[in-house]
Amino acid sequence: EFFGAFQGLFPLFWVIIYFVPIYRQVSRLVKEKESRIREGMKMMGLTDFAYHLANYSYYFFIFLFLSLMYSLLTMINIFTYSTWIYIFLFFFLYSLAINSYSFFIASFFSNARTGSLTAIFIYFTMWIVGGTRLDEFASRGSKVAGSLGPPLAMMMGANTIASLEGAQMGVTSETVDFQVQNYDFETCLWFLFLDAVLYLLLGLYFDQVWPSQYGVNRHPLFLFQKSYWFPKKRSQTQATEDKEDLKPDESNVDVEEVDQHLQAKEKTGDCLVVRNLKKQFGDFLAVNGLSLKMYEGQIFALLGH
């Protein structure tokens, strides 16, 4: 009777528990775009790889600790017949899948509140729809396909654990591939791992190509472009030409000569250098080859109309 009730309540309990991590993670990621913190870090030299690695690692270790705690606590009085490593992998892989899912959803939004609520709505809807469709009479094919949704894979995995625990067998190396209602625990673990990788890759892709009011999006087929995999290095000739472009026009009497004190800042890096800046709106070229230097301790202004 306990595990009969467990089959219905445990997945719901676990779905609700992850409302907070999903909301916080999506909100945090989108807020960094919304407040242009991420663009500021990129201007200071932060690469996309380092940014995503830092974010993913932060939640990776949080979920690692929580999964260890959950698995140890449930092994005491609930999963008494199962092997600990399988229960730990179940919690940990599900957490990673939710982590990747949150990153995937965040790539589509520029408003933190809208993105967070939408992520929770889709997440909960997946569980409700799947829970009504993937019952005990559903085919194995439909259950395997449904496992592409993290809450559905978790739900069917939890039901499999409950059935095996109720039969006093538990999830062990002998029963991990044992099918219960056309589903087995090994399939659950593999698909949770697949979900974690799949949603992460989709998030990385759409983060680059999805139109946003912050940053510049890439072409949808940028992965098939040679310039992405083999970027051209700036030649010494191009670097020399850029330096020549930044030299003031000596024939123009309105150009103030740069004194030696400011020239020293160029060597120490205490200045901002812009070379051949271009900005285009549709077919209109608004800025064409602007080059300038802004020195520390000076007030810089662009005059025009």
Side-chain angles (χ1 to χ4, degrees), residues 206-239:
F206 284 105
D207 181 67
Q208 296 292 320
V209 304
W210 192 257
S212 173
Q213 59 181 336
Y214 310 111
V216 179
N217 58 295
R218 294 180 181 268
H219 189 276
L221 300 178
F222 75 94
L223 289 173
F224 301 98
Q225 295 175 345
K226 183 179 179 181
S227 58
Y228 174 74
W229 299 103
F230 305 100
K232 292 182 179 180
K233 295 183 179 181
R234 295 178 58 82
S235 64
Q236 186 64 33
T237 303
Q238 289 175 315

Side-chain angles (χ1 to χ4, degrees), residues 6 24 41 54 70 163 171 233:
F6 180 85
R24 289 177 61 88
M41 290 188 290
Y70 294 150
S163 297
V171 180
K233 295 183 179 181

Side-chain angles (χ1 to χ4, degrees), residues 136-270:
E136 57 184 310
F137 303 107
S139 65
R140 176 168 175 80
S142 60
K143 289 190 173 184
V144 169
S147 297
L148 290 173
L152 301 183
M154 179 274 298
M155 176 190 72
M156 292 182 287
N159 290 340
T160 302
I161 299 175
S163 297
L164 293 174
E165 284 286 336
Q168 298 183 357
M169 298 168 62
V171 180
T172 63
S173 58
E174 289 80 19
T175 61
V176 68
D177 58 350
F178 185 80
Q179 287 193 20
V180 178
Q181 299 175 358
N182 296 323
Y183 199 74
D184 58 86
F185 194 73
E186 186 178 25
T187 300
C188 169
L189 295 182
W190 277 114
F191 268 88
L192 287 176
F193 174 76
L194 175 63
D195 291 343
V197 175
L198 178 63
Y199 284 106
L200 176 61
L201 294 178
L202 288 175
L204 290 172
Y205 173 75
F206 284 105
D207 181 67
Q208 296 292 320
V209 304
W210 192 257
S212 173
Q213 59 181 336
Y214 310 111
V216 179
N217 58 295
R218 294 180 181 268
H219 189 276
L221 300 178
F222 75 94
L223 289 173
F224 301 98
Q225 295 175 345
K226 183 179 179 181
S227 58
Y228 174 74
W229 299 103
F230 305 100
K232 292 182 179 180
K233 295 183 179 181
R234 295 178 58 82
S235 64
Q236 186 64 33
T237 303
Q238 289 175 315
T240 303
E241 290 176 354
D242 288 341
K243 290 181 179 179
E244 292 296 328
D245 291 338
L246 289 173
K247 289 183 178 180
D249 186 1
E250 296 179 355
S251 63
N252 189 345
V253 296
D254 296 325
V255 177
E256 180 183 357
E257 183 179 357
V258 180
D259 60 36
Q260 294 182 352
H261 173 67
L262 295 180
Q263 291 180 6
K265 290 182 178 290
E266 298 179 24
K267 297 180 181 180
T268 59
D270 295 325

Side-chain angles (χ1 to χ4, degrees), residues 60-218:
F60 177 90
F61 288 107
I62 289 178
F63 287 136
L64 176 62
F65 171 76
L66 292 176
S67 299
L68 285 169
M69 183 179 68
Y70 294 150
S71 59
L72 290 174
L73 290 176
T74 53
M75 288 294 293
I76 297 176
N77 294 317
I78 301 177
F79 304 134
T80 54
Y81 296 100
S82 298
T83 304
W84 172 80
I85 188 61
Y86 291 113
I87 303 303
F88 166 75
L89 287 175
F90 176 68
F91 288 127
F92 184 56
L93 292 176
Y94 178 60
S95 299
L96 293 185
I98 293 302
N99 188 18
S100 298
Y101 163 79
S102 300
F103 175 63
F104 168 67
I105 295 297
S107 63
F108 294 99
F109 292 92
S110 298
N111 182 276
R113 181 175 177 81
T114 303
S116 301
L117 294 177
T118 302
I120 292 178
F121 174 77
I122 296 174
Y123 170 73
F124 194 59
T125 302
M126 272 196 292
W127 180 80
I128 292 178
V129 174
T132 57
R133 298 279 184 175
L134 303 176
D135 56 18
E136 57 184 310
F137 303 107
S139 65
R140 176 168 175 80
S142 60
K143 289 190 173 184
V144 169
S147 297
L148 290 173
L152 301 183
M154 179 274 298
M155 176 190 72
M156 292 182 287
N159 290 340
T160 302
I161 299 175
S163 297
L164 293 174
E165 284 286 336
Q168 298 183 357
M169 298 168 62
V171 180
T172 63
S173 58
E174 289 80 19
T175 61
V176 68
D177 58 350
F178 185 80
Q179 287 193 20
V180 178
Q181 299 175 358
N182 296 323
Y183 199 74
D184 58 86
F185 194 73
E186 186 178 25
T187 300
C188 169
L189 295 182
W190 277 114
F191 268 88
L192 287 176
F193 174 76
L194 175 63
D195 291 343
V197 175
L198 178 63
Y199 284 106
L200 176 61
L201 294 178
L202 288 175
L204 290 172
Y205 173 75
F206 284 105
D207 181 67
Q208 296 292 320
V209 304
W210 192 257
S212 173
Q213 59 181 336
Y214 310 111
V216 179
N217 58 295
R218 294 180 181 268

